[in-house]
Amino acid sequence: MSVDYDAIRRMNIKEYGEGSRHLSYFTDIYSTRTHFIFEVLQNAEDALSRRLTGGPAGYVHFHLHPDRLEIRHNGAPFTERDVTGICGIGEGTKAGDYTQIGKFGIGFKSVYAYSFFPEIHSGNEHFEIRRFVEPLAIVGRADEDTLIVLPFDSPEKRPDWAFRENVSAVDSMREIGEAIRKLGIRTLLFLRHIEEIKWTLPDGTAGQFIRNSEPVANRDGLRKVEILDQDDDLEEWRIFSRDIEVQDAGQSRTVTVETAFFLEEGAVTRAGNTELVVFFPTEKKSELGFLLQAPFKATKARDNIKSDDPANSQMIAAAAQLAADSLGTLRDLGLLNVASYAALPLRMQDFPEGSVVRPVYDKVREALKTQPLLPADGGDFAYACEAKLARGEKLVDLFSAEQLGALFGKERLVWLDASITDSGETANLHTYLVGHKKHSGMKEWELEPLVEGIQVTPETLASKLHAEFLGKQPMDWLAKFIRYAMEGAQTLRKVPLIRLASGEHVPPPSDKNAVPSAWFAPKDIAG
């Protein structure tokens, strides 16, 4: 038995009146008319979350015709609550609960940018919606799935709707077709129930996105997500999730925050287009190389999040901690290499104090400073306090970890990966480690070293290369060191690198014409 549409219609007329002009702003509340596509996907995701488990994979199919758009999904059929919600404004089934996707109760109204009389066919419910809020029974269609039909009718048929821009059927078909083509792989990334999005255009062009998601063994809150499109392009992600309690307006709500890292060739890689995500991307840029997703309180157009909202601040803080905690897991799974650090918030000037995602910068920096997360020479990872960064790969080849520790009076010191230099792809990581002071126009920013003295240069070595240390080194190493010093490290030429027959160490003579006072027999020099 279907819902009493007459009762809902009378209730809504009483609530909203018989006119429609005061409701018209819902047709252009979004930055683009085609935003309704995401609203429909959100409704489908919620419907799929309510269906019985064990059924076929959840899907949404957009079928564009010259005169209409048909959208099918296999979520739970409409209930009376759904009918009331989709016909209401701010009173949908998710109103007041921002942990749900379609939380405003106005999202579906965006379809009115193209269609006056949208139809719903779902289970026993068959109705069209007139004047935004008035359901009217129509002839049903035999279909096991939920079917939404958006006819491209013209404003000329409704003089009282002159407020709506005149969008012809041809224009509607073209705009919607372009928007559907632009649906990207990431449309599915943070969804849990829609596993396939399919689309068919009037010219027969078809496409799809298929998502495969599976938990990572022995890693709570971590799943591997792969999404494939019709061109066999594949994106692979690791998504970390954590449930937190958010205090908002005197109430406590459990919400899920997530962070997603993009993988290429088996390692984390910097992702582009990393706007903050509320199930789908907003227009709020993050400057991160990975994604943050949470049920942030967004503007009604869902194109931005409210930066000054206390609940959002709590979710950002939790997402920041989650991102920092994720690094150790990515390391242990062998998913981090030197190039992976380009995905992290390294450029302090991109995350000024007070910016929305500054907590992410702070938490990641704290983790890199206190946990064994820095890429060391040989493929291992090191604590910042036990690491040294060489200025020049030859220093890494010349000084062993034991020699390095002896020079700096530490029980353990290791070299960081020698590919970290002040130019090329690792330049930002190099600056992040050693610090930098820069003037940019009228502004000045200063980045402190991650650990003071982390960089080792010939200049910093000169004061530590005393005779006692050099006297303990084997002759073949000493020969390599002398060669290194003579090839360009001017500062090191002043250290006592010459070993006399007596075993004493003295610096080379300052006068290049001086008669040598020491020599090495060829048999004593390896190489």
Side-chain angles (χ1 to χ4, degrees), residues 454-505:
I454 194 170
Q455 181 168 235
V456 175
T457 67
E459 290 73 23
T460 59
L461 282 175
S463 63
K464 299 180 179 297
L465 289 168
H466 44 73
E468 181 181 357
F469 171 83
L470 293 170
K472 296 178 181 178
Q473 308 310 313
M475 187 67 74
D476 58 346
W477 180 89
L478 191 60
K480 291 179 181 178
F481 175 71
I482 292 173
R483 189 177 297 116
Y484 169 75
M486 294 300 114
E487 286 176 352
Q490 298 286 339
T491 304
L492 296 181
R493 297 181 185 184
K494 300 178 182 180
V495 305
L497 51 80
I498 302 297
R499 181 176 297 173
L500 303 179
S502 64
E504 182 184 0
H505 272 258

Side-chain angles (χ1 to χ4, degrees), residues 5 118-121 126-128 130 136-141:
Y5 304 129
E119 299 178 10
I120 308 291
H121 302 272
H126 304 276
F127 62 99
E128 69 178 15
R130 297 191 174 187
L136 186 71
I138 57 175
V139 176
R141 296 192 182 190

